[in-house]
Amino acid sequence: MNRNNFTSESVTCGHPDKICDQIADRILDALLEQDPQSRVACEVTCTTDAVHIFGEVTTKAEVDYAGLARRVIEEIGYTEPNRGFDAETCRIKVDLHEQSPDIARGIARRNEAERINTGAGDQGILFGYACKETVNRMPLPIELAHALAKRLELVRRSNELQYLLPDGKTQVTVEYDGQDRPCRVAAVIVSSQHREGVDIHTLRDDILGHVILPTIPSALIDKDTQFFINPTGRFVMGGPAADSGVTGRKSISDTYGGCARHGGGSFSGKDASKVDRSGAYLARYIAKNIIAADLADRCEVQLAYAIGLAEPVSFRLDTFGTERLKKDDILYIKSIDRLGRNYKEILEQWRVLTKEREVDIVVLDMPLLDTRRGKDLMGTFLSDIVLQVLSFVAENERANIRQRQAEGIAAAKARGVRFGRPPRPLPENFREVHR
C-alpha cells in the first residue's frame, strides 16, 4: 500500500507573529465598534521591547492604539519585567495614515452597468478548502496541531503547569493510506517556553501527560508514533525577545496547514472590504457546504477579484476526483439577488424548487449580515450573494422541470408565500460557458 505523510503546524497566542495578529485585530475591532464604515489595513511588527503599528486607516473613531496594544500584550501573558518584552515597558510606535483616495474611490463608487455595489478593496486571489477528515471539515493535521496549541494554552493559563510561559508551537505529522485516508499519527512536536530551572525530563513528562495524550485520539497513536518535546532541551527565551513578529506570517497555520493553496494575503487587521480576508472566508464557506452536501470528499475553491468590483471576476472549483456528480455539474456561484430583497423569501423560493428532485438544488444558507471583520462570512459588498449548487438534467427534460417549478411557485403563492422577482432561467449554453 502506497502510504504518505502530511505535516501541519500551529502556534500559541504568545508566538511573536500571533502577537502582531492579535494587536491588529484588536485595533480593527475597536475602530469598527465606533465606526462600522471604517476602512482598515493595519499591520504590526514586534521585536525586543518594541512594537510598531502602521498602515492605512480611514475612520471617524478615536482609538488609543498604544493602549490597546499594551492590553493585548498583557492579556497574552507578557507581564514580567526584564524578560525582553512586557506590556508595561515596551516601546510602541504608531504610524497610521488615511487610505489612498484612489482605493477609496474603487470601494465606494456605484455603477449598475458593471453591477457594482460596494467594491472590493483590492484585486486578489483567494482559496477555500474543506474535506471529510474531521467534523469541522478541516484537514486532520492542522486540526490536531490547533488542538495541541489550545491545550498548551489551557494548561498554562489554568496554572496546571505553572512554569510554562506564553510562547509555544505544535506540529503534527499524519500518515495517510493509499486512498488518502488518515490512518495514524506518525509524529508530534510540542515546543513550549518555560521558566529558568525547570528540569527538561519533568517538562517532557508533563507535556506528554497533560497536553499530548489528552488531545491526540488514542486510536491514532501506536508504538511507532514519535514524540518530540522541546527538542533542544531549553526554551527559556521566547516571544519577541527571541524572534521578531509580523502580521500575516502565520497564514498557512491560520488556514489549512498547507493542505490547500493560499492567496498570499494576510487576514489580520483588515476590514471586510479587503477580499484577502472576506473573500477567503467566502471561498471556505462554499467549499464547506459542498462537502456538507456530500457532493465530494475534498473541495478547493478559488475566487479572484478586481478592485472596485463587488463580485468575483473568476471562480474555480477542484474536487480532486472525489466528486459525486460530474465535476462540471457542480455549479458556478450565481447571484440570485441584489440588495433590497427579503432573504427569507429567497430561501423559501428556492426550497420550493428543491421539492422536484430532478433538479437537485442545495441552498447554502448564508446569513445576510453587515459583518465587522467578515467573521460571519462577508462584508456588505458580498452579503447579497445567495449560492446554489445543483446537478444539471438532460436537455430534453428542462421544459418539463421548468413547468413543474412554475407550478410549485404558484402553489406556494397560493399558500401566502411572498416572492420578489423570479430567478432568471439558465441560458442554454450555461454548461459550456461555466465548464
Side-chain angles (χ1 to χ4, degrees):
M1 186 178 293
N2 183 23
R3 297 188 173 223
N4 62 87
N5 293 338
F6 196 90
T7 303
S8 296
E9 72 159 358
S10 183
V11 298
T12 63
C13 69
H15 186 279
D17 294 330
K18 296 314 294 180
I19 294 172
C20 296
D21 287 340
Q22 290 167 90
I23 293 173
D25 270 339
R26 185 68 65 85
I27 289 171
L28 173 64
D29 285 347
L31 292 169
L32 290 173
E33 186 173 2
Q34 294 184 38
D35 178 9
Q37 302 305 314
S38 296
R39 294 289 176 250
V40 185
C42 179
E43 304 286 355
V44 179
T45 61
C46 65
T47 187
T48 304
D49 277 332
V51 172
H52 187 194
I53 301 167
F54 59 100
E56 299 78 47
V57 172
T58 301
T59 184
K60 298 176 182 177
E62 295 183 2
V63 168
D64 178 7
Y65 299 107
L68 283 175
R70 293 191 192 279
R71 199 173 312 152
V72 170
I73 296 166
E74 179 181 5
E75 291 172 0
I76 291 171
Y78 288 102
T79 58
E80 299 181 16
N82 303 317
R83 298 192 64 90
F85 189 80
D86 70 89
E88 187 175 347
T89 66
C90 69
R91 293 172 287 110
I92 298 180
K93 182 180 180 182
V94 179
D95 288 316
L96 294 169
H97 59 85
E98 286 197 349
Q99 183 182 61
S100 160
D102 293 344
I103 296 175
R105 178 177 180 271
I107 297 172
R109 66 197 181 100
R110 298 287 187 272
N111 187 335
E112 185 59 31
E114 293 179 356
R115 302 185 67 195
I116 291 176
N117 181 31
T118 302
D122 200 353
Q123 69 181 50
I125 56 172
L126 309 316
F127 292 91
Y129 179 81
C131 63
K132 288 193 170 180
E133 292 180 18
T134 65
V135 294
N136 292 322
R137 301 185 176 92
M138 289 288 285
L140 183 60
I142 191 62
E143 189 92 333
L144 293 177
H146 284 331
L148 285 171
K150 291 175 183 177
R151 179 69 184 174
L152 192 59
E153 278 287 312
L154 177 63
V155 299
R156 175 180 71 89
R157 291 180 179 272
S158 66
N159 286 323
E160 189 173 335
L161 299 179
Q162 298 182 8
Y163 54 79
L164 295 184
L165 294 172
D167 198 359
K169 301 180 76 171
T170 64
Q171 186 171 293
V172 177
T173 299
V174 173
E175 183 176 308
Y176 290 77
D177 64 19
Q179 297 181 347
D180 278 336
R181 295 175 301 194
C183 55
R184 60 183 292 270
V185 169
V188 176
I189 303 173
V190 176
S191 295
S192 181
Q193 186 187 11
H194 58 85
R195 296 185 184 279
E196 189 79 58
V198 177
D199 178 71
I200 185 60
H201 301 292
T202 299
L203 182 145
R204 286 172 175 165
D205 289 345
D206 285 346
I207 295 294
L208 181 63
H210 292 263
V211 178
I212 297 175
L213 295 182
T215 302
I216 304 296
S218 58
L220 296 176
I221 297 176
D222 58 28
K223 62 182 179 61
D224 296 320
T225 300
Q226 296 180 294
F227 301 103
F228 302 93
I229 300 168
N230 282 30
T232 68
R234 179 180 170 86
F235 188 1
V236 173
M237 180 174 286
D243 290 294
S244 60
V246 181
T247 41
R249 200 158 58 181
K250 285 294 173 281
S251 57
I252 297 303
S253 63
D254 282 346
T255 50
Y256 312 103
C259 281
R261 298 173 179 91
H262 190 282
S266 170
F267 293 167
S268 299
K270 294 180 178 178
D271 71 271
S273 71
K274 312 298 187 293
V275 292
D276 283 338
R277 183 173 213 159
S278 53
Y281 290 175
L282 174 60
R284 159 69 176 168
Y285 187 74
I286 299 167
K288 186 171 69 171
N289 276 273
I290 288 172
I291 299 303
D294 200 30
L295 299 179
D297 292 338
R298 296 170 61 202
C299 180
E300 183 182 72
V301 170
Q302 184 200 45
L303 301 174
Y305 287 88
I307 186 169
L309 296 182
E311 297 188 9
V313 297
S314 78
F315 173 88
R316 181 181 184 274
L317 184 146
D318 192 349
T319 47
F320 307 96
T322 67
E323 62 273 7
R324 304 282 187 273
L325 308 174
K326 290 181 181 179
K327 190 172 177 181
D328 58 352
D329 285 352
I330 298 180
L331 182 66
Y332 175 79
I333 303 175
K334 194 69 179 174
S335 174
I336 62 168
D337 183 56
R338 304 303 298 168
L339 289 176
R341 286 189 58 197
N342 184 290
Y343 180 57
K344 291 183 179 179
E345 292 176 5
I346 300 166
L347 285 183
E348 179 62 26
Q349 179 176 354
W350 284 99
R351 288 187 178 113
V352 169
L353 302 186
T354 64
K355 292 174 69 174
E356 299 294 341
R357 298 312 298 170
E358 291 89 342
V359 180
D360 182 17
I361 301 174
V362 180
V363 176
L364 306 186
D365 198 352
M366 180 188 295
L368 294 185
L369 299 176
D370 182 3
T371 63
R372 287 151 48 90
R373 296 184 191 172
K375 261 187 163 180
D376 295 312
L377 296 177
M378 290 302 94
T380 54
F381 76 107
L382 284 171
S383 65
D384 61 336
I385 295 178
V386 176
L387 305 171
Q388 48 177 319
V389 179
L390 60 87
S391 61
F392 286 95
V393 296
E395 292 286 337
N396 59 3
E397 295 182 11
R398 283 191 179 180
N400 291 334
I401 290 171
R402 286 173 182 158
Q403 176 63 32
R404 289 196 293 273
Q405 288 175 353
E407 292 171 356
I409 292 174
K413 286 182 177 179
R415 297 197 308 270
V417 177
R418 296 176 61 248
F419 293 103
R421 57 180 173 79
R424 292 189 296 263
L426 296 173
E428 294 301 321
N429 67 338
F430 189 86
R431 294 187 67 175
E432 288 69 35
V433 171
H434 295 297
R435 279 189 186 278

